[in-house]
Amino acid sequence: MRTYYIAGNWKMHKTRAEAAELAGALVAQLKDGKHKYLVAPSFTLIETVAPIVRGSNILLGAQNMAPEEQGAHTGEVSVLQLKDLGVTTVILGHSERRHIYKEDDALINKKVKLALRHGLEVILCIGELLEEREAGRAEAVCESQIVKGLEGVEDLSRVVIAYEPVWAIGTGKTATPEDADAIHAYVRRLIGKLYGAGAAEKIIIQYGGSVKPENAAQLMAKENIDGALVGGAALKADSFVPIAKF
Ligand code: PGA
């Protein structure tokens, strides 16, 4: 049985005081939660949030990471710096990184391998644009992002996939549970082909894209949907907690 994994991506939101307040509320309200949980605050908030979630059932994540360990990379944050703060997980290949900041699969693959080499868990985000879906290319796009994103990765035990159709992110438009599950099933079959049946059965595939308290349970009821990567609704305990306890 796979564990449901609900992650909150806070994106570029919150001051330290606001982040501390949200993290404190989540720790209190998710104490009896039955699933696996993560919050991913901005880099500048990680040191504030770390002592609040330490010892709780909420893991500490980062939203991105440099492709190099250290060096002359102005404006970047390294895996060593993240580990130093107690970060256990890094979100890589988020659609906002791919589309706003033009990260390509080769760069994302470099980050994935570096994070795994350092023992971090990786949430690798994939997902198609609206025009790609309309052209019938959703599966092909996701397949290519997985094949290229995981090139050279042998062990998937610390890899989570987040399927986030780009047209559903922050738009209020959610994929239907059936459409989402179809891609999740496709991804699981692909993992089976690449890594074998055991890896396919074990890998956690989150859905992301306008997950809300009102649609979380229907999505999670689908056979291949093992959790959620939540953006907008992760910014308030009132909306994240009901998702996390769907
Ligand atoms: P959203 O974002 O829940 O606001 O659509 C999801 C994500 O980008 O991870």
Side-chain angles (χ1 to χ4, degrees):
M1 259 310 270
R2 296 181 291 269
T3 314
Y4 284 106
Y5 187 179
I6 315 290
N9 171 9
W10 295 358
K11 305 194 180 183
M12 197 174 70
H13 292 285
K14 300 201 179 285
T15 60
R16 286 174 299 167
E18 290 163 350
E21 188 186 335
L22 175 57
L26 295 179
V27 167
Q29 295 177 46
L30 291 179
K31 281 210 292 286
D32 57 345
K34 305 216 170 359
H35 310 307
K36 179 174 173 181
Y37 303 121
L38 172 103
V39 291
S42 298
F43 294 132
T44 57
L45 304 173
I46 292 175
E47 197 166 8
T48 301
V49 171
I52 301 172
V53 299
R54 191 174 300 134
S56 78
N57 57 349
I58 303 174
L59 296 169
L60 183 60
Q63 300 171 15
N64 187 25
M65 187 191 97
E68 305 293 339
E69 221 160 66
Q70 57 190 325
H73 291 271
T74 303
E76 292 288 326
V77 174
S78 94
V79 63
L80 302 175
Q81 294 166 331
L82 295 179
K83 284 191 356 176
D84 186 40
L85 293 175
V87 165
T88 59
T89 303
V90 61
I91 298 171
L92 293 174
H94 189 278
S95 81
E96 287 145 22
R97 301 300 320 168
R98 291 178 188 266
H99 298 292
I100 306 174
Y101 296 101
K102 309 295 174 213
E103 292 196 10
D104 63 12
D105 289 303
L107 178 69
I108 294 162
N109 175 250
K110 218 170 156 188
K111 297 182 181 194
V112 167
K113 287 191 289 198
L114 182 63
L116 292 174
R117 205 182 315 130
H118 279 274
L120 293 185
E121 174 182 72
V122 168
I123 299 179
L124 174 63
C125 302
I126 60 163
E128 81 286 358
L129 297 164
L130 184 59
E131 52 267 38
E132 292 168 333
R133 171 155 287 259
E134 286 172 345
R137 294 184 48 236
E139 292 178 350
V141 168
C142 292
E143 173 161 348
S144 160
Q145 289 171 342
I146 287 184
V147 169
K148 292 177 183 161
L150 294 180
E151 198 182 301
V153 173
E154 282 167 17
D155 175 12
L156 287 195
S157 57
R158 271 179 287 108
V159 176
V160 172
I161 306 278
Y163 169 58
E164 301 201 297
V166 179
W167 46 272
I169 296 179
T171 57
K173 274 193 247 164
T174 319
T176 64
E178 291 68 31
D179 284 347
D181 194 52
I183 298 285
H184 284 231
Y186 184 84
V187 167
R188 202 177 299 286
R189 284 197 299 276
L190 173 65
I191 295 294
K193 266 191 262 168
L194 299 171
Y195 291 91
E201 181 54 36
K202 279 199 211 105
I203 194 160
I204 292 180
I205 310 174
Q206 296 172 326
Y207 168 79
S210 301
V211 176
K212 308 176 252 249
E214 303 78 56
N215 59 27
Q218 292 96 295
L219 287 159
M220 297 308 127
K222 289 292 172 192
E223 188 184 340
N224 288 292
I225 302 183
D226 311 316
L229 181 54
V230 186
L235 296 175
K236 290 201 171 109
D238 284 356
S239 43
F240 190 68
V241 169
I243 296 171
K245 293 186 168 177
F246 72 90

